[in-house]
Amino acid sequence: MASITRTEITAANRAAWNASAHLHAEGEPWEELLESAARPGFSVLDPVLTAILDGLDLKGKSAVQIGCNNARELISLASFGIRPEMGIDQSSGFLAQARQLADAAGLDVRLLEADIYDLPSDVGRFDLALITIGVLNWMPDLPEFFRVTSGMLAPGGRLVIYETHPFLEVFDPASPTPFEPAFSYFERSPQEVTEAIAYDGKDHGEGETGYWFIHPLGEIVTACAQAGLGIVELKEYGHTIREPEYDLYEGRVAQIPMSYSLVAQKLTSAKGC
């Protein structure tokens, strides 16, 4: 494909997500989510992420979620006694859903529509930055992404990532041979995503073209460390947090890694962050 700039990639990804946003605020699942958000103790976080947050003693601390989508995970932090202060996403469509959920939960959350590479100066600093599945793969520049992320953390603040494992990205569950690698783990060119973006495993037709990246685990960890974030813990899991079509890779005797969590801490001596 022809050369494409970081600005062009983020603009295309914004258009792709906005074009798909309506698919996530329709029907019974959306109505159930709205009703659940209004209940005390609301959380959509799975046992793995719940255990990580429970172990970090963040009660009363402030949090930002980067790539917050409709903020259901950000809002869930309140059930841990964490203050969900800000959600950042570049999709206005998803942030409109986030406002509905935050209002249902009775939470005053700042929802910022912005390109992560071009944030306003008043973003502030937080005790926790949360990144969950699907965020990193849309990012064309990992070192800059983690430099910006580090800049949003107060000294000693924690970064928690819970993401799909990059090794899973080499497989295509829709392929006639789904257990054979379909993509190189070391491919650096962005992959065009032309279908509408949804989580339910259904074909919703064509959407706006977005760009998806395979970032090897070594590059993710290195970018964190070089941004002034000390790696506290990295765990890899054999369970999927992806769309339903990836379920066929789970529960096998020869199990591949399917997801991972990373906890890092802002170093108080970090410079330029």
Side-chain angles (χ1 to χ4, degrees), residues 66-87:
I66 302 165
C68 69
N69 194 271
N70 63 18
R72 63 195 182 280
E73 294 162 328
L74 177 65
I75 293 167
S76 297
L77 296 179
S79 68
F80 297 85
I82 301 170
R83 293 184 283 114
E85 292 193 348
M86 178 180 287

Side-chain angles (χ1 to χ4, degrees), residues 12-203:
N13 288 346
R14 179 188 303 113
W17 279 99
N18 274 330
S20 301
H22 70 280
L23 299 172
H24 301 256
E26 297 176 342
E28 189 174 326
W30 171 247
E31 295 302 324
E32 289 178 351
L33 184 60
L34 273 174
E35 291 177 8
S36 296
R39 299 184 190 123
F42 167 78
S43 177
V44 298
L45 306 185
D46 74 1
V48 169
L49 190 49
T50 293
I52 291 170
L53 294 171
D54 276 339
L56 291 179
D57 191 23
L58 291 169
K59 288 185 178 180
K61 303 295 185 178
S62 61
V64 59
Q65 185 177 12
I66 302 165
C68 69
N69 194 271
N70 63 18
R72 63 195 182 280
E73 294 162 328
L74 177 65
I75 293 167
S76 297
L77 296 179
S79 68
F80 297 85
I82 301 170
R83 293 184 283 114
E85 292 193 348
M86 178 180 287
I88 302 172
D89 204 285
Q90 62 176 357
S91 168
S92 58
F94 276 102
L95 289 178
Q97 298 169 28
R99 175 51 59 202
Q100 287 183 265
L101 289 170
D103 288 347
L107 293 172
D108 182 16
V109 179
R110 182 184 177 189
L111 297 169
L112 176 63
E113 180 184 346
D115 178 348
I116 191 65
Y117 298 110
D118 188 25
L119 293 179
S121 59
D122 66 342
V123 169
R125 292 195 170 191
F126 305 89
D127 301 303
L128 169 68
L130 178 65
I131 297 169
T132 57
I133 181 170
V135 172
L136 297 184
N137 296 98
W138 297 100
M139 297 297 153
D141 185 341
L142 271 190
E144 179 64 9
F145 174 84
F146 281 111
R147 188 194 70 79
V148 172
T149 298
S150 180
M152 285 189 283
L153 283 172
R158 314 295 183 89
L159 168 66
V160 173
I161 301 174
Y162 186 38
E163 264 278 18
T164 185
H165 199 290
F167 186 67
L168 189 61
E169 300 297 334
V170 308
F171 298 99
D172 179 4
S175 165
T177 55
F179 296 102
E180 293 183 13
F183 308 99
S184 171
Y185 185 72
F186 301 101
E187 178 59 64
R188 291 297 173 273
S189 299
Q191 301 173 30
E192 291 189 355
V193 178
T194 58
E195 65 274 12
I197 304 166
Y199 309 142
D200 57 11
K202 298 177 182 178
D203 182 359

Side-chain angles (χ1 to χ4, degrees), residues 207-239:
E208 296 287 332
T209 298
Y211 297 93
W212 180 264
F213 295 82
I214 297 175
H215 296 303
L217 196 56
E219 290 191 4
I220 294 168
V221 172
T222 298
C224 277
Q226 291 180 345
L229 299 167
I231 308 301
V232 175
E233 178 183 89
L234 172 64
K235 289 186 176 181
E236 299 166 284
Y237 310 104
H239 66 260

